[in-house]
Structures are given as structure tokens and as C-alpha cells.
Amino acid sequence: MATVITHAVTSLDGYIADDHDDVGPLFDWYFNGDVELTGGQGGWTFRVSRASFDYVDPFWRSCGAMVIGRHLFDLTNGWNGVPSVGDAVFVVTHEPPAHGDPGHGLTAQDAPFTFVTTGVADAVARACEVAGDRVVAVTGGNIAGQAIAAGLVDEVAIDLVPVVLGSGKGYFGTLSEQVMLSDPHVVVEGHRVLHLRHRLAPVT
């Protein structure tokens, strides 16, 4: 059975981007180290600290599928048809792109994107089928908030960056209900980033 983990790089005040979808210094740690880290099926190259590499590389490799929102899909233009992690991406949307075109001239048959119009629960279920016993990564923002509210998430992963953005797009989107998490598991301290994990479990 797949493990469903929400994940995002986040400011100290809980934002994954500013009001204009600019990540600003949140992603600086991807380029401030001396260890090469690759993503996007080998198409992206970062340079991170050894501590961050030892956490991020196995995590990315453990991901079998992703669930994202249409807003992120449009911002990234579908990562040129290549998932950032995993083998497949399920995009929660009210309306698929015209003619099933996920961007850059790639047809839906050429790129591993599935546009799900029946809600986040269906998208997560379909991602779990693809992932098998691996991880389903749910991106931060409104999709993460919806998945948590629906009880679909096993863990919350946060790459916490020491910056205060002041305003922006929240990790949990518009989630307005109280959610109790387990005590934090501090995975590792990288350079200008702290990698944290929480399980969604009853607090005793």
C-alpha cells in the first residue's frame, strides 16, 4: 500500500510562494551545496549539502506518483512533459487542457499526466494504484489542504527555510479546520534548510 505524503519547501511563516507565485529565497538551498542532486528523471541538476542530499535523493526515488493541482501544472507548463518525481502525475482540475495537450506540444499520450476532474480523493486513489508500495507525493497548497481534510494523507513533509515571506500561498492552502499532527521528526539539518516530517496521528 502506498504512503501518501504532502510535501513543499516552506517559509517560517508557512508559505510555499509569495502572492505572485514567486518562491524567492525558498529554493536557494537547492544551489548552495557541493553535492550534485538530479531530478526530473535526470533532466534537472541541483547542488545541495551532503545532509540534504542524503535525505532528498532517497525521498525522491521513493516516489511512485504525484498529485498536483492545475495551478501548479500551468505554472510549470507540465515540466515539459517530465514528472519532477515518480512515474506519473495526476492533475486535479475542473477542466483538462484543450485537446488533452499538457503543454509544449506534447499530447496526453506522450506524457505521463492524467487530468482528474472527479476530485482529489479520486486522484490520490489512482496515484496509489500506480505507486504500489511506494510514496505518493501530494504537492503543497490547496491540493494538500484538500487531501488532509479528506483524511487521505499519512505524513506531512516540510523543507523549512529560515525566511519570513510575510504573505503568500500557504502550505495548506485554504484549509480552515484544526488538524493534529504527531511530534515532529527532524530528519536532518541541511544548509539553510531543515527537513521535517510529521505523521497525521492521534495525539495522546
Side-chain angles (χ1 to χ4, degrees):
M1 178 181 294
T3 300
V4 179
I5 302 178
T6 62
H7 171 261
V9 181
T10 311
S11 68
L12 288 178
D13 48 348
Y15 298 114
I16 59 176
D18 68 15
D19 295 309
H20 307 289
D21 294 309
D22 187 351
V23 297
L26 291 178
F27 283 9
D28 286 356
W29 65 275
Y30 280 120
F31 305 98
N32 66 12
D34 55 8
V35 181
E36 184 174 291
L37 172 70
T38 59
Q41 297 182 359
W44 306 350
T45 301
F46 308 98
R47 299 200 69 84
V48 300
S49 67
R50 168 55 65 182
S52 287
F53 176 87
D54 289 344
Y55 167 68
V56 175
D57 187 63
F59 176 61
W60 284 1
R61 292 178 186 277
S62 74
C63 293
M66 291 184 69
V67 176
I68 71 173
R70 178 62 185 274
H71 184 61
L72 178 60
F73 176 85
D74 288 341
L75 281 175
T76 62
N77 208 4
W79 297 298
N80 297 347
V82 179
S84 58
V85 296
D87 302 323
V89 178
F90 294 84
V91 184
V92 182
T93 181
H94 294 296
E95 184 177 353
H99 310 300
D101 183 355
H104 285 268
L106 295 165
T107 68
Q109 289 72 39
D110 295 327
F113 292 92
T114 301
F115 298 94
V116 181
T117 60
T118 48
V120 68
D122 192 24
V124 170
R126 295 171 72 174
C128 285
E129 289 180 5
V130 170
D133 60 357
R134 294 177 291 170
V135 167
V136 169
V138 179
T139 55
N142 285 328
I143 296 301
Q146 291 174 35
I148 289 171
L152 304 172
V153 175
D154 299 304
E155 294 184 34
V156 172
I158 297 173
D159 298 324
L160 189 65
V161 174
V163 62
V164 175
L165 293 184
S167 66
K169 308 297 178 69
Y171 183 108
F172 300 104
T174 57
L175 180 67
S176 59
E177 64 186 73
Q178 179 173 286
V179 178
M180 299 300 292
L181 308 178
S182 66
D183 289 341
H185 171 47
V186 181
V187 179
V188 68
E189 179 183 351
H191 180 45
R192 301 291 296 169
V193 63
L194 182 65
H195 304 290
L196 300 171
R197 296 279 276 271
H198 298 260
R199 287 197 62 82
L200 275 80
V203 176
T204 58

